[in-house]
Amino acid sequence: MHFQSFSEFLAMGGYGFFVWLSFGITYLLLLGLILISVYQQKQFKQQLKATIAREQRVKQYQEQQV
């Protein structure tokens, strides 16, 4: 596909609105997926730290009782 001008490139033969809208939605969804993944990873790490700390406290308590 060869375009004579930048405005023709943006118009995409009359389908520009749908082409650029699909690109925009795709990039927004990918960005959302990345942000959600980072957030869930942080939550998982916090939960893991809390679980490890809880297990250590239980182990120390059990050692003191013996």
Side-chain angles (χ1 to χ4, degrees):
M1 235 181 212
H2 295 90
F3 299 102
Q4 300 298 327
S5 67
F6 187 69
S7 62
E8 285 183 25
F9 171 72
L10 292 177
M12 292 278 174
Y15 297 103
F17 174 75
F18 303 107
V19 172
W20 298 116
L21 183 63
S22 65
F23 272 103
I25 290 171
T26 300
Y27 287 123
L28 284 174
L29 289 173
L30 287 173
L31 179 64
L33 180 62
I34 290 169
L35 293 174
I36 288 171
S37 297
V38 168
Y39 175 74
Q40 287 178 342
Q41 182 182 16
K42 286 181 181 180
Q43 276 189 326
F44 175 75
K45 286 181 179 181
Q46 288 175 349
Q47 290 174 351
L48 184 61
K49 284 180 184 180
T51 302
I52 290 171
R54 190 177 313 115
E55 288 175 358
Q56 288 177 348
R57 287 192 308 267
V58 168
K59 186 177 179 181
Q60 287 176 352
Y61 177 76
Q62 288 174 347
E63 288 174 355
Q64 290 175 355
Q65 297 300 319
V66 174

